[in-house]
């Protein structure tokens, strides 16, 4: 079992090499086989994981080897309960996404499968890296294959979406690299110029909780890490790349983007930002809570008026991930437990919703909600499955979405009843946009558009059902038995909360704090005005043309 973590991390890379040298007709089966083998290996990690050690927050299956010894950089990997859960989530959604790509992807199949397997390597690596430099390498590896997946196999505006995605992500990543280097320099300066352990997360965390980094470094480094992670989550107001990327990505790309890649940012907050810079986290926590509430409200309202089915699910991600960051930064056990549950739940539920959007798109080549209607009459299995995932996303009790949001709200109430009240009101908005969308798509008379498709409008195939069945089963399992996840992360949560609780906020100028809170609000107002102005300009030629006719 000593090498199992390396096998889980790099087995998809071996699969990618095998796909590259094999005939193109075998690309699908080989890629699926590699992804399934990785999934099985990740389950062996779960079987071999010692829950007793997790209660102490200890890393297991640790691999450590010198990489660049002059700077103390190691190839060091390990898992605790938090990273274990996310590794299994990644391997599960990866084989499901590859299977879901069998029908829709018809061109350059070999290149697509190679990109997907390399993407899996990067995502797993992010969750298991215990050296900050290695973490950064895996973080950047994720960017390239997703760029290719959207840019080559995406929709009509895929180039715009990919450039926007890369620019947003790259800016945050480069600032995070600067912060990592600054942190390493500060560590080696405090240890007589020795670089040993300067990038080692375990040693850096011990240093942060004992000697601690200087206040100025904490504030600057936390902001750099925050920007990288906030863009990836994505938090308001750094979310604008997400709807474009989701709309243009192929279905499987959207599943991985929502199910795993958004979780990289939430994981980064819990794993790195809070333990390494606890005082800065306490300082900026209230502002981040405000941003989280804005994200919850903004995402729900914008989703409510979306005409495109895929874009509605994309904006719902902004709202739901707002619950994750809210739970993290209320700094109590209920909130953190709820945030981690919501990380997993969102991956399962929203991944399923994107798969279901892809199912109907393959038949209609359209995602306009107004053109749908009456699907229950001709595709009853699809309608029932879609309803299950819609209710899970809305937080129906006994399904996993309810438990995560409930714990976040409990944690928010312990922090501030006002914060909890605002977040609770937004859950009503979530039910509104989800149920209204479901009613328009599924019920009523069959629309003329769908009627015109004739025999092409078929119910779900066995393969499509197979991609959704595991997600549905896990949603029920974690809804009824959330302790399966909470017991795994108990030690990780206790360590993070202990680190943050021992720190005190760093005094900063109240004016700066006011500006930090005001700027997002100003941004919203300006953006609303700008969008209204652009819509008015776009309608002018139509009105002029109508008058001329």
């Amino acid at each position: 079992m000593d090498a199992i973590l390396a096998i889980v991390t790099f087995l998809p890379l071996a699969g990618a090499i095998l796909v590259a040298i094999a005939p193109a007709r075998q690309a699908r089966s080989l890629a699926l086989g590699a992804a399934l083998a990785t999934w099985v290996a990740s389950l062996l990690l779960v079987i071999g994981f010692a829950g007793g050690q997790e209660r102490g927050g200890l890393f297991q299956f640790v691999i450590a080897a010198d990489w660049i010894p002059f700077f103390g950089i190691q190839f060091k990997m390990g898992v605790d309960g938090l990273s274990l859960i996310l590794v299994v989530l990644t391997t599960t959604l990866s084989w499901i996404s590859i299977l879901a790509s069998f029908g829709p992807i018809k061109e350059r199949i070999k290149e697509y499968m190679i990109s997907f397997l390399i993407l899996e390597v990067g995502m797993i690596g992010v969750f298991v890296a215990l050296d900050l430099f290695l973490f950064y390498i895996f973080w950047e590896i994720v960017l390239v294959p997703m760029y290719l997946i959207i840019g080559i196999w995406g929709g009509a505006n895929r180039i715009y979406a990919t450039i926007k995605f890369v620019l947003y992500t790259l800016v945050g990543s480069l600032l995070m690299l600067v912060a990592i280097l600054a942190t390493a320099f500060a560590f080696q300066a405090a240890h007589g110029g020795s670089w040993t352990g300067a990038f080692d997360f375990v040693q850096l965390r011990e240093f942060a909780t004992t000697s601690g980094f200087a206040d100025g470094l904490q504030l600057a480094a936390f902001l750099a890490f925050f920007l990288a992670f906030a863009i990836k989550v994505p938090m308001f107001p750094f979310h604008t790349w997400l709807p474009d990327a989701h709309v243009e990505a192929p279905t499987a790309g959207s599943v991985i983007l929502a199910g795993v890649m958004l979780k990289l940012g939430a994981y980064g907050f819990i794993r790195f930002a809070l333990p390494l810079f606890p005082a800065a986290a306490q300082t900026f926590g209230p502002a981040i809570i405000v941003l989280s509430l804005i994200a919850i409200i903004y995402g729900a309202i914008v989703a409510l008026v979306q005409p495109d089915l895929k874009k509605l699910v994309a904006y719902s991600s902004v709202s739901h991930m707002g619950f994750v960051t809210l739970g993290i930064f209320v700094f109590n056990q209920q909130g953190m437990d709820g945030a981690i549950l919501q990380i997993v739940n969102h991956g399962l539920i929203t991944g399923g919703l994107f798969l279901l959007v892809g199912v109907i798109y393959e038949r209609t080549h359209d995602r306009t909600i107004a053109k749908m209607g009456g699907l229950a009459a001709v595709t009853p299995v699809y309608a029932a499955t879609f309803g299950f995932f819609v209710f899970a996303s809305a937080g129906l009790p006994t399904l996993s979405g309810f438990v995560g949001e409930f714990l976040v709200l409990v944690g928010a109430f312990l922090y501030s009843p006002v914060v909890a009240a605002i977040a609770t009101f937004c859950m009503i908005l979530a039910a509104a946009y989800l149920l209204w969308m479901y009613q328009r798509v599924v019920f009523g008379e069959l629309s003329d558009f769908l009627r015109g498709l004739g025999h092409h409008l078929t119910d779900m195939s066995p393969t499509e059902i197979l991609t959704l069945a595991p997600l549905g089963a896990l949603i029920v399992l974690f809804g009824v038995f959330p302790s399966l996840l909470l017991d795994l992360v108990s030690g990780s949560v206790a360590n993070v909360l202990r680190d943050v609780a021992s720190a005190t906020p760093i005094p900063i100028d109240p004016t700066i704090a006011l500006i930090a809170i005001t700027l997002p609000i100003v941004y919203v107002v300006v953006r609303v005005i700008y969008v209204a102005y652009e819509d008015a300009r776009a309608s002018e030629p139509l009105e002029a043309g109508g008058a001329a006719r």
Side-chain angles (χ1 to χ4, degrees):
M1 295 290 285
D2 291 343
I4 186 65
L5 188 58
I7 293 172
V8 171
T9 306
F10 295 108
L11 190 56
L13 179 60
I17 295 172
L18 190 59
V19 171
I21 62 178
R25 66 180 181 276
Q26 299 177 5
R28 289 189 177 95
S29 57
L30 288 174
L32 180 60
L36 282 170
T38 306
W39 176 63
V40 171
S42 70
L43 296 181
L44 294 178
L45 274 180
V46 177
I47 295 171
F49 190 79
Q53 293 185 43
E54 165 55 27
R55 293 188 182 92
L58 301 177
F59 290 99
Q60 301 176 44
F61 307 105
V62 175
I63 301 171
D66 288 336
W67 184 15
I68 310 175
F70 183 80
F71 291 106
I73 298 174
Q74 296 178 291
F75 187 86
K76 185 175 183 181
M77 302 189 301
V79 295
D80 62 354
L82 174 63
S83 49
L84 177 65
I85 288 171
L86 293 175
V87 166
V88 176
L89 176 67
T90 301
T91 59
T92 302
L93 288 177
S94 292
W95 75 257
I96 288 174
S97 299
I98 288 174
L99 180 60
S101 302
F102 277 22
I105 304 300
K106 298 179 175 63
E107 298 179 352
R108 307 182 73 169
I109 298 169
K110 178 183 284 193
E111 292 87 345
Y112 177 87
M113 295 301 172
I114 292 172
S115 298
F116 229 98
L117 290 171
I118 294 175
L119 176 63
E120 185 177 6
V121 173
M123 294 184 299
I124 294 173
V126 167
F127 295 134
V128 301
L130 294 180
D131 181 280
L132 262 65
F133 189 78
L134 180 64
F135 164 76
Y136 179 77
I137 296 298
F138 280 122
W139 182 273
E140 291 296 270
I141 286 175
V142 169
L143 182 64
V144 178
M146 182 53 76
Y147 170 82
L148 296 175
I149 289 170
I150 301 175
I152 297 176
W153 295 275
N157 294 322
R158 58 186 180 275
I159 302 302
Y160 168 77
T162 50
I163 291 175
K164 193 173 182 180
F165 164 66
V166 169
L167 289 178
Y168 267 74
T169 306
L170 201 58
V171 168
S173 299
L174 292 176
L175 288 175
M176 182 175 67
L177 176 61
V178 173
I180 290 173
L181 296 175
T183 303
F185 271 104
F187 182 89
Q188 67 90 25
H191 289 78
S194 172
W195 285 95
T196 303
F199 292 90
D200 188 319
F201 167 71
V202 176
Q203 295 193 42
L204 287 171
R205 183 176 64 184
E206 292 176 356
F207 178 76
T209 55
T210 53
S211 302
F213 295 102
D215 288 352
L217 175 62
Q218 281 209 51
L219 292 173
F222 180 87
L223 286 175
F225 274 79
F226 167 78
L227 185 62
F229 299 149
I231 289 172
K232 194 73 82 176
V233 166
M235 282 187 67
F236 176 91
F238 312 106
H239 66 284
T240 56
W241 64 269
L242 180 68
D244 295 312
H246 269 312
V247 168
E248 301 306 326
T251 297
S254 291
V255 172
I256 289 296
L257 191 60
V260 182
M261 288 190 65
L262 303 190
K263 312 306 179 288
L264 302 183
Y267 172 81
F269 279 129
I270 300 171
R271 171 65 73 233
F272 298 106
L274 269 61
L276 296 183
F277 316 111
Q282 289 275 17
T283 303
F284 293 112
I288 296 174
I289 288 173
V290 172
L291 292 179
S292 300
L293 291 174
I294 294 175
I296 294 170
I297 299 169
Y298 176 83
I301 292 175
V302 176
L304 190 63
V305 297
Q306 285 306 308
D308 184 285
L309 191 57
K310 200 173 188 183
K311 216 164 195 178
L312 184 148
V313 180
Y315 274 107
S316 77
S317 290
V318 176
S319 184
H320 282 106
M321 290 303 292
F323 278 96
V324 172
T325 51
L326 175 62
I328 292 172
F329 284 93
V330 294
F331 300 139
N332 56 51
Q333 183 175 349
Q334 292 85 351
M336 190 71 74
D337 283 345
I340 294 172
L341 283 178
Q342 196 64 3
I343 287 172
V344 178
N345 299 336
H346 181 267
L348 299 174
I349 296 170
T350 306
L353 287 174
F354 276 119
L355 286 173
L356 287 160
V357 172
V359 168
I360 200 65
Y361 181 77
E362 286 302 307
R363 289 152 173 76
T364 65
H365 296 288
D366 202 303
R367 295 187 299 262
T368 306
I369 297 175
K371 291 183 179 181
M372 306 295 170
L375 280 174
V378 290
T379 57
V381 175
Y382 176 83
T385 307
F386 196 18
F388 173 84
F389 281 90
V390 163
F391 280 110
S393 185
L396 184 71
T398 71
L399 300 181
S400 61
F402 170 77
V403 185
E405 290 184 350
F406 176 76
L407 285 176
V408 170
L409 292 175
V410 171
F413 185 84
L414 294 175
Y415 176 85
S416 167
V418 174
V419 170
I422 295 172
T424 304
F425 171 74
C426 294
M427 290 184 67
I428 300 173
L429 288 177
Y433 68 73
L434 286 167
L435 295 179
W436 188 37
M437 174 271 291
Y438 185 68
Q439 181 265 327
R440 287 180 289 166
V441 170
V442 171
F443 296 116
E445 295 292 329
L446 190 66
S447 69
D448 293 337
F449 171 72
L450 295 179
R451 189 178 292 110
L453 297 174
H455 67 277
H456 294 291
L457 188 60
T458 58
D459 214 336
M460 295 176 66
S461 68
T463 300
E464 291 166 341
I465 293 173
L466 180 59
T467 60
L468 287 158
L471 302 181
L474 290 173
I475 289 169
V476 174
L477 179 65
F478 295 145
V480 178
F481 302 107
S483 59
L484 293 174
L485 298 178
L486 295 179
D487 289 346
L488 278 176
V489 301
S490 59
S492 306
V493 170
N495 278 345
V496 172
L497 293 178
R498 184 182 63 246
D499 293 341
V500 176
S502 63
T504 56
I506 300 170
I508 59 174
D509 190 332
T511 305
I512 296 176
L514 180 63
I515 292 173
I517 295 174
T518 304
L519 280 178
I521 300 173
V522 174
Y523 170 84
V524 173
V525 174
V526 172
R527 183 166 178 80
V528 168
I529 295 173
Y530 173 77
V531 170
Y533 172 72
E534 288 295 311
D535 289 344
R537 285 188 59 188
S539 65
E540 283 177 4
L542 297 176
E543 294 172 357
R549 287 191 296 271

